[in-house]
Amino acid sequence: ERLVEIDTGQWSTMLHREVHDAYPEESAALARGEDIPRGVHGESMADVAARVRPAFDEATAPLAAGESALLVMHGAAMRALAADAVCLTHGQVAHTFTAIGNCRWIVLVGDDSGSWRVEQWNAGAGAAAP
């Protein structure tokens, strides 16, 4: 339940262009990198990070050196988690990294101090979709 995709509220059944046309101010805010709730009553990326991060911490806490954990989630949830783990704002991630394609992943690597870094972004088998 904690790893589900972002709740886009009233936008959940709309295409991207429909959201852009119906919510121009909110679309402009997102384009500027502002972290606003999606679909009026949905989640912000900070909300998603707050929901996903405890599951990540629980999965990674017992790991010994050289061990890995795999968490499976949708793209926005992955991006929110990665931003939180490496201490970037959601705007920085939105303007720096590409979206996560279907069946793609992010690899985060931790160190002994509890810090995380992005080792791979939008990784996957074969070429990424355009």
Side-chain angles (χ1 to χ4, degrees):
E1 185 175 290
R2 293 180 292 177
L3 304 179
V4 298
E5 183 62 307
I6 188 171
D7 176 358
T8 57
Q10 296 173 352
W11 301 350
S12 66
T13 61
M14 299 173 75
L15 299 173
H16 184 267
R17 66 176 159 68
E18 292 172 329
V19 171
H20 186 268
D21 292 345
Y23 297 90
E25 291 179 24
E26 291 86 347
S27 294
L30 289 171
R32 289 189 300 270
E34 296 177 30
D35 187 27
I36 62 170
R38 276 46 170 190
V40 183
H41 302 292
E43 291 178 299
S44 67
M45 292 295 276
D47 294 332
V48 176
R51 173 170 48 80
V52 173
R53 183 61 191 257
F56 174 80
D57 291 341
E58 289 170 22
T60 59
L63 297 177
E67 291 184 322
S68 299
L70 172 69
L71 283 78
V72 178
M73 62 191 87
H74 289 273
M78 272 193 275
R79 289 175 58 171
L81 171 61
D84 191 69
V86 301
C87 302
L88 293 174
T89 68
H90 302 288
Q92 289 170 319
V93 168
H95 286 109
T96 305
F97 295 103
T98 61
I100 304 299
N102 288 338
C103 302
R104 312 295 288 180
W105 57 85
I106 298 170
V107 176
L108 299 175
V109 176
D111 63 24
D112 292 338
S113 72
S115 294
W116 294 92
R117 64 178 163 74
V118 174
E119 184 171 275
Q120 295 179 37
W121 188 273
N122 204 29

